[in-house]
Amino acid sequence: MTEKALVKNAADEEQVKESTRKVRYKRTDERADIEVVMGSVHGRRFMWRVLAHYGAYRSVFAVDPYVTAFNSGKQDVGHFLMAELNDVCPKEFSVMTKEATEGLKNV
């Protein structure tokens, strides 16, 4: 997905200010989205499944180097999500981990 340039003339201070404002508001929206998802037990349970799917907590190693490379790419997505969750809502991330591990004990 190609993003459109926010500034046509980097020497134009007004364009640079406007692009900075747009980026700031976009990040604010992204953070709010994460807070909403992590604010409910359902959202935390879903995010735990997503992290597990992307192998955030697994080894990437496989005998076939191509499979290892594929697993590494998946794990990178999982690590990106972990970093986002920890950055935006570290308390909810801890709650999610606790809920998930306690849920495993009840199985």
Side-chain angles (χ1 to χ4, degrees), residues 20-35:
T20 302
R21 185 189 65 76
K22 286 179 181 178
V23 168
R24 191 176 318 120
Y25 284 129
K26 181 181 179 201
R27 183 62 184 153
T28 299
D29 288 345
E30 291 170 349
R31 292 176 66 87
D33 296 341
I34 292 169
E35 288 171 355

Side-chain angles (χ1 to χ4, degrees), residues 1-16:
M1 172 165 72
T2 305
E3 292 189 29
K4 187 173 93 174
L6 294 174
V7 176
K8 292 183 181 185
N9 180 358
D12 184 339
E13 289 183 28
E14 285 302 314
Q15 285 186 28
V16 172

Side-chain angles (χ1 to χ4, degrees), residues 61-75:
F61 178 76
V63 175
D64 183 338
Y66 293 107
V67 174
T68 299
F70 176 78
N71 291 343
S72 181
K74 280 179 59 175
Q75 190 181 61

